[in-house]
Amino acid sequence: MTGQALHLGLIGCGSMAGTVLRAVRGAGVSLTAVTVLTRPGRDPVDVARHLGLEPGLVRVVSDAAGLIAQAPRLVAECASQEAVRDVVPDLLAAGMTVVLASVGALAQPETLARIAAADTGTLHVAAGAVGGMDALEAVRLSGLHAVTYVGRKPPASWPGGYTDNAVVFEGTAREAALKFPKNANVAATVALAGLGFDATQVRLLADRDCTNNVHEITFSGRCANGFFRMEGLPSPDNPRTSLTAGYSVARGVLSCISSCLAFS
């Protein structure tokens, strides 16, 4: 990627956004500007400092219209399901390219419908904290019979004050993504790659033997049966989120850049 120049848009300025920026720069991309959509009243110098950027690179906006007006080459969403619902459909309708981290937002039928209707832009869904989705998608083409996702995290990483082993949730991927918007994006990713939100079974566990975030996917299909396990280090700033998620978004950004030099 050395020699590539990029005006990047960011939705959110938390730890994941910082990880994306470090990874993109580390791959040799030169950032000409970074437009950050964040809450109103944020000082651009403070935002730049928080993200580890030179203040002169940073532009701060507070809504989708402001981000569209700045015309970044592509946008990385690193915020929340609410941000996806409120901002991403407008960006896509304006013809922009968006790399999505908060995949659980697609479990909301209204949000998915608005995104599907905005067919002038391009949406790239980051795999996030899990791997093996290419294999799951391939088996889906042959016919999938069943997909189960199990997420294990230390008790303190789950909302609700867990201190010991517990079944935090058991149900469908749609229910998990909507009930745990900050903790179950992987369930949504697995659902999109496999059987969909309502046919993918999910168990979320508080596990006192876990020191990291563990993701396990089991599937059976006509051409293969499989089991994937991935153990991700939690983000130092937010233990409920796997550090891998930010690098996955960065991979999506880099993939968008490399796919076509004349970016559409």
Side-chain angles (χ1 to χ4, degrees):
M1 291 295 171
T2 301
Q4 289 282 349
L6 176 66
H7 174 187
L8 179 65
L10 285 175
I11 304 174
C13 59
S15 60
M16 184 185 295
T19 299
V20 171
L21 291 170
R22 289 190 296 273
V24 168
R25 278 184 148 180
V29 174
S30 174
L31 295 174
T32 58
V34 178
T35 298
V36 182
L37 193 160
T38 186
R39 65 177 183 272
R42 288 294 302 269
D43 176 46
V45 174
D46 179 63
V47 171
R49 184 182 304 112
H50 187 70
L51 292 173
L53 294 171
E54 306 86 83
L57 286 178
V58 175
R59 309 166 184 177
V60 172
V61 298
S62 59
D63 56 22
L67 189 54
I68 293 167
Q70 292 294 326
R73 186 173 174 183
L74 62 103
V75 176
E77 179 274 315
C78 303
S80 64
Q81 290 190 21
E82 291 78 10
V84 176
R85 179 194 65 204
D86 297 339
V87 176
V88 170
D90 291 339
L91 302 184
L92 296 173
M96 303 186 79
T97 297
V98 180
V99 180
L100 193 71
S102 302
V103 187
L106 302 182
Q108 303 168 359
E110 302 85 357
T111 300
L112 183 59
R114 288 186 63 207
I115 285 175
D119 58 0
T120 55
T122 303
L123 184 69
H124 294 265
V125 176
V130 70
M133 295 302 96
D134 55 341
L136 187 57
E137 289 174 344
V139 176
R140 182 185 67 197
L141 297 176
S142 78
L144 269 172
H145 306 317
V147 180
T148 300
Y149 164 67
V150 178
R152 304 174 186 271
K153 296 185 181 183
S157 295
W158 293 107
Y162 290 95
T163 59
D164 206 343
N165 292 345
V167 177
V168 177
F169 170 84
E170 194 162 11
T172 68
R174 187 181 304 278
E175 294 167 334
L178 296 177
K179 186 172 183 180
F180 298 94
K182 297 181 179 180
N183 297 82
N185 282 308
V186 170
T189 301
V190 172
L192 288 173
L195 286 175
F197 284 103
D198 298 312
T200 301
Q201 297 302 304
V202 173
R203 297 184 77 224
L204 304 178
L205 306 176
D207 187 340
R208 65 187 179 192
D209 293 326
C210 279
T211 55
N212 299 318
N213 302 332
V214 177
H215 310 283
E216 300 172 338
I217 300 106
T218 304
F219 66 87
S220 61
R222 290 184 62 191
C223 72
N225 302 320
F227 173 77
F228 300 123
R229 184 182 188 275
M230 188 163 177
E231 183 173 347
L233 300 177
S235 170
D237 300 322
N238 182 3
R240 297 178 184 178
T241 299
S242 290
L243 186 59
T244 317
Y247 287 101
S248 178
V249 173
R251 177 184 177 275
V253 170
L254 296 171
S255 178
C256 287
I257 297 170
S258 64
S259 62
C260 184
L261 292 178
F263 206 81
S264 60

